[in-house]
Amino acid sequence: MKVCLLIPDGIGIRNYLYSDIIPLLQESNVDVAVWHSLDPAVMKEAERLNPQVNFENYVFQFYKEDPLPRFLRDCIGYARLKANAKMEGNPTILDNWLPKKNFKGKVSNYFAEIFGSTFTDLDKITKVDTIIQHQQRKSAAYRKYRDDLKRINPDVLLCTHQREPNAGVAMLAAQDLGIRTVAVIFSWDNLPKGRLPMRATNYLVWSEYMEKELLKYFPDIKKEDIQIVGTPQFDFYSNQELIKSRIEFAEENGLDPLKRWICYSGDDSLTSPHDPIYLNDIGEALQNQQDIEVLFRPVPVEGFERYQSVLDKFPFIKTLVPKWKKGEFWNKFFPYPEDIAVLVNLAYHADVVLNVGSTMALDFSQFNKPGVYVNYEVAPDHPWSIKRVYQFQHFRTFADLDAVGWINSPAEILSTIRKAIDTPSEIAKDRLVWRDRIVYQDQQSSSSSRIVDFLISTSK
């Protein structure tokens, strides 16, 4: 048996190259190929991490999408957002319709909105999807991917990121060749956005909650084709070999092991344009707390220059620079394996994580640590609104739960942080319920092993 991992961009590196999936496949006598568009340095890191592992290496090429299928894909993208917003009674879903920058793109978006508005139900959208596939079969990309797949000759093609259009063409070519295809739903917020430009034999999801979302937003997909496996990104938190002593972690990062650590995880400038202001407010509120150190982890795909004045002002805010290699574009950034250990130890040793709506609250919940979301406006006239952020569909996953703590004004920062540190059981009381709702948990097996077992079983 041969499994090919299609990794079209940097999204799948940590979960699939650095996890146990490839070693477990090879332990089961499965041949592995990696079809990717990654920096060759990434592959060297994967080999360094598991020097005993061997896999075939193939380059995945990108092609400019032909105009008609691209336009139709934009039309159904808009149509899905409208349908999902109506279905959920949540207009913020339409915020995922991103504007294009140049004149040609703006004109295309204008007509995509007009035509997309005529696709009034999911059945019509599915029919347009069929037309798109017909057009894609005429493309140079489709022909090239067919040739590549004949050369790779896998029994199963697993795509690690379901949103990439070129990967969708490759998956279509694989299906036409009779190859079983498996698509991973990468993140907890993906499905309401309607970004699934591919169809697969099977779909891997995090939880029963995500399975229900997939069936709701994509009614052409059948329940029996969905497998709940969790996600490998949380497997690392159960790896005791990654956890260092508090003193060792402090020495490596210039921290005081005797102080209480709180983590502030930064967002990119689009997701949270006022992030430096929030970090400054935290510094102001905590500067006289002699027992606290703030561990600031910037978002890996941006620098942290916009925070520098705040960091200079408050020396007790310590920056833990992500161990990532920078790329020309965000999808060309990639983590070094050592960054995984930093994340694990940050969640293990810090008492609480603060941020603007980040998934890091789920990371910290792996060690039963509370997450706290900042939730107040600092620039009311700015088009970005933090109140609107928390109306996004994926935050409805905890609408009925006390899943995270909230800081609703600068005046609440100190008291909320003190509560999270001193009496953590009194804040975010339902954090484990939320974690288990979003991510399937099983102490007897890892997500990586469940994925491998499923891939092997589907080939029989």
Side-chain angles (χ1 to χ4, degrees), residues 2-45:
K2 187 175 187 179
V3 171
C4 177
L5 303 182
L6 170 54
I7 307 179
D9 54 30
I11 295 295
I13 293 171
R14 183 174 67 168
N15 290 3
Y16 292 89
L17 277 184
Y18 295 167
S19 71
D20 291 334
I21 287 177
I22 294 178
L24 287 172
L25 283 169
Q26 296 206 327
E27 284 177 14
S28 300
N29 296 315
V30 175
D31 294 327
V32 178
V34 179
W35 193 17
H36 66 92
S37 63
L38 306 175
D39 187 319
V42 178
M43 310 313 292
K44 291 181 180 179
E45 290 298 322

Side-chain angles (χ1 to χ4, degrees), residues 169-240:
V169 179
M171 295 283 275
L172 178 63
Q175 288 176 310
D176 289 349
L177 289 170
I179 299 168
R180 178 175 289 274
T181 55
V182 181
V184 174
I185 307 302
F186 179 76
S187 184
W188 66 310
D189 66 347
N190 284 171
L191 291 174
K193 299 174 182 178
R195 297 174 184 171
L196 188 61
M198 63 179 67
R199 287 297 179 271
T201 314
N202 299 103
Y203 302 84
L204 303 184
V205 298
W206 289 21
S207 60
E208 185 179 345
Y209 188 97
M210 189 179 282
E211 178 189 59
K212 290 177 180 177
E213 281 194 320
L214 186 56
L215 292 170
K216 176 168 56 175
Y217 299 131
F218 298 91
D220 58 306
I221 294 173
K222 299 176 181 178
K223 181 179 175 67
E224 56 265 30
D225 296 334
I226 303 172
Q227 186 74 13
I228 299 170
V229 294
T231 173
Q233 77 183 66
F234 296 122
D235 283 354
F236 301 106
Y237 293 95
S238 60
N239 184 352
Q240 294 296 313

Side-chain angles (χ1 to χ4, degrees), residues 244-264:
K244 302 176 181 180
S245 72
R246 187 177 182 86
I247 291 176
E248 183 181 3
F249 186 66
E251 288 177 349
E252 288 181 353
N253 294 282
L255 310 176
D256 185 341
L258 300 178
K259 293 191 175 182
R260 307 300 295 268
W261 293 337
I262 69 168
C263 171
Y264 185 86

